[in-house]
């Protein structure tokens, strides 16, 4: 049964776009799916309420004009990046951004919409099988990635974070981080499309990571019901850091993708104290599927 038909790729800028394009193209090929690239351009008129904050009408008009100019520049950069990639990827058909998309063969489209990323992106993500997000560089404060968190918290669909460096081949090895939570179960369901066509699958578990819920042995049994052969491996925290131990276990396995639940603790707690989700986002070198 085909499990992926539409992949959403929101791009706020051209930064890290190449690795996301490469991953998205591989997904489109693997699943004969449509890659819908979306740029959300901010509306300069959203600045108008600032007039009530001590700014004169002329100052607000100047801010709106500046925002529109910057928004137009960024939109052109993203569109140019898409068109350049499309010209180098002739095996994936570029089509207009409207349904119906081609069936049974990979395709991609580009669309620009005005509005707020936190509203527009989850709206479109809800009717996509998953959302591919460019890597949010830690230098830009990874925890503030608006697109990623909008998808995780407001779409009901999984997010896949692309690595910084393009991964040219298909996903061959999948790791599933399991701790018994509802978030982990959602990620498990989301990764079935990849696990079912991968060479090897491993369930990673750790006593300090486990919560109340099914254990890793039951996950292996569940995967077998879907025709997926998996093994399980216990990992240990490194320097008392579970996220570091998890990524180390993925590296030992040679994983191309890690699936995990996101923010089992509150996001605020992870912002202040750190956590597994935060560590993985800041340090991953492979694709990461996250779900809540």
């Amino acid at each position: 049964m085909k499990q992926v038909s539409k992949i959403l790729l929101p791009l706020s800028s051209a930064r890290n776009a190449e690795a996301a394009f490469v991953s998205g193209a591989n997904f489109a090929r693997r699943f004969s799916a449509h890659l819908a690239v979306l740029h959300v351009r901010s509306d300069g008129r959203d600045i108008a309420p600032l007039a009530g904050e001590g700014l004169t009408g002329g100052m607000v008009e100047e801010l709106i004009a500046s925002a529109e100019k910057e928004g137009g520049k960024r939109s052109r950069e993203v569109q140019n990046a898409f068109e350049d990639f499309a010209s180098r990827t002739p095996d994936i058909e570029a089509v207009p951004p409207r349904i119906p998309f081609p069936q049974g063969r990979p395709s991609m489209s580009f669309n620009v919409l005005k509005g707020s990323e936190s509203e527009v992106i989850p709206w479109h993500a809800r009717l996509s099988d998953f959302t591919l997000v460019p890597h949010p560089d830690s230098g830009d404060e990874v925890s503030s990635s608006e697109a990623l968190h909008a998808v995780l918290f407001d779409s009901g669909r999984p997010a896949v974070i692309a690595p910084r460096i393009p991964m040219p081949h298909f996903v061959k090895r999948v790791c599933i981080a399991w701790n018994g939570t509802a978030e982990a179960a959602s990620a498990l369901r989301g990764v079935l499309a990849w696990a079912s066509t991968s060479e090897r699958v491993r369930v990673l578990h750790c006593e300090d990571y486990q919560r109340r819920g099914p254990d890793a042995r039951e996950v292996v049994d569940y995967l077998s019901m879907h025709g997926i052969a998996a093994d399980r491996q216990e990992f240990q925290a490194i320097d008392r850091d579970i996220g570091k131990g998890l990524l180390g276990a993925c590296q030992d396995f040679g994983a191309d993708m890690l699936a995990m639940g996101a923010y089992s603790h509150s996001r605020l707690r992870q912002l202040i104290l750190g956590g597994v989700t935060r560590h993985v986002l800041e340090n991953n070198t492979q694709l990461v599927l996250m779900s809540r």
Side-chain angles (χ1 to χ4, degrees):
M1 180 179 67
K2 185 178 180 182
Q3 296 172 309
V4 175
S5 294
K6 182 186 175 186
I7 305 152
L8 179 67
L9 171 53
L11 289 176
S12 60
S13 71
R15 182 173 185 175
N16 286 339
E18 181 67 16
F21 282 142
V22 171
S23 296
N26 279 339
F27 294 158
R29 293 185 185 102
R30 181 167 188 164
F31 301 113
S32 295
H34 180 75
L35 177 66
V37 182
L38 172 65
H39 174 69
V40 180
R41 180 175 171 177
S42 60
D43 192 336
R45 291 171 297 181
D46 292 340
I47 298 174
L50 293 175
E53 301 294 330
L55 298 181
T56 66
M59 294 168 68
V60 172
E61 288 297 324
E62 186 175 338
L63 285 173
I64 290 174
S66 177
E68 287 290 337
K69 182 178 179 180
E70 178 61 28
K73 177 184 176 184
R74 186 170 295 188
S75 293
R76 288 191 296 274
E77 290 174 348
V78 175
Q79 183 165 1
N80 289 340
F82 172 82
E83 291 175 352
D84 175 65
F85 182 77
S87 70
R88 293 182 281 115
T89 318
D91 63 313
I92 301 181
E93 182 182 3
V95 298
R98 56 178 179 271
I99 295 175
F101 299 122
Q103 297 294 307
R105 65 183 189 275
S107 61
M108 58 182 169
S109 63
F110 178 77
N111 196 13
V112 178
L113 296 174
K114 269 197 172 184
S116 167
E117 281 192 336
S118 62
E119 293 181 355
V120 176
I121 291 174
W123 185 313
H124 287 262
R126 290 168 195 164
L127 293 181
S128 301
D129 294 298
F130 67 91
T131 299
L132 177 63
V133 181
H135 192 283
D137 277 310
S138 57
D140 292 337
E141 182 47 62
V142 64
S143 298
S144 65
S145 173
E146 188 169 3
L148 173 60
H149 290 107
V151 173
L152 287 175
F153 287 90
D154 200 27
S155 75
R157 299 285 186 165
V160 176
I161 299 95
R164 292 181 179 89
I165 300 173
M167 187 180 75
H169 59 273
F170 289 174
V171 172
K172 298 178 181 178
R173 292 190 170 209
V174 172
C175 279
I176 300 168
W178 183 257
N179 65 354
T181 62
E183 293 86 357
S186 181
L188 173 64
R189 181 66 185 87
V191 82
L192 289 179
W194 286 273
S196 62
T197 54
S198 295
E199 294 176 359
R200 290 193 63 188
V201 178
R202 173 165 290 176
V203 179
L204 298 174
H205 60 104
C206 172
E207 184 176 347
D208 294 332
Y209 185 47
Q210 182 69 23
R211 311 286 180 80
R212 290 176 59 85
D215 62 25
R217 188 189 304 274
E218 294 173 275
V219 177
V220 172
D221 292 341
Y222 170 79
L223 290 170
S224 70
M225 296 177 67
H226 287 270
I228 300 168
D231 62 18
R232 56 191 173 88
Q233 177 69 49
E234 184 172 6
F235 69 93
Q236 303 297 325
I238 298 176
D239 300 328
R240 298 185 179 182
D241 190 324
I242 294 173
K244 192 173 182 180
L246 175 60
L247 288 182
C250 287
Q251 185 175 4
D252 291 343
F253 184 62
D256 303 305
M257 173 178 274
L258 167 66
M260 62 181 291
Y263 298 109
S264 295
H265 289 302
S266 73
R267 182 182 169 195
L268 178 60
R269 180 183 187 277
Q270 297 216 30
L271 281 170
I272 297 171
L273 300 177
V276 178
T277 305
R278 182 181 174 90
H279 183 91
V280 170
L281 284 174
E282 292 178 346
N283 297 281
N284 72 295
T285 57
Q286 68 279 101
L287 292 157
V288 179
L289 182 148
M290 287 188 173
S291 191
R292 278 184 51 81

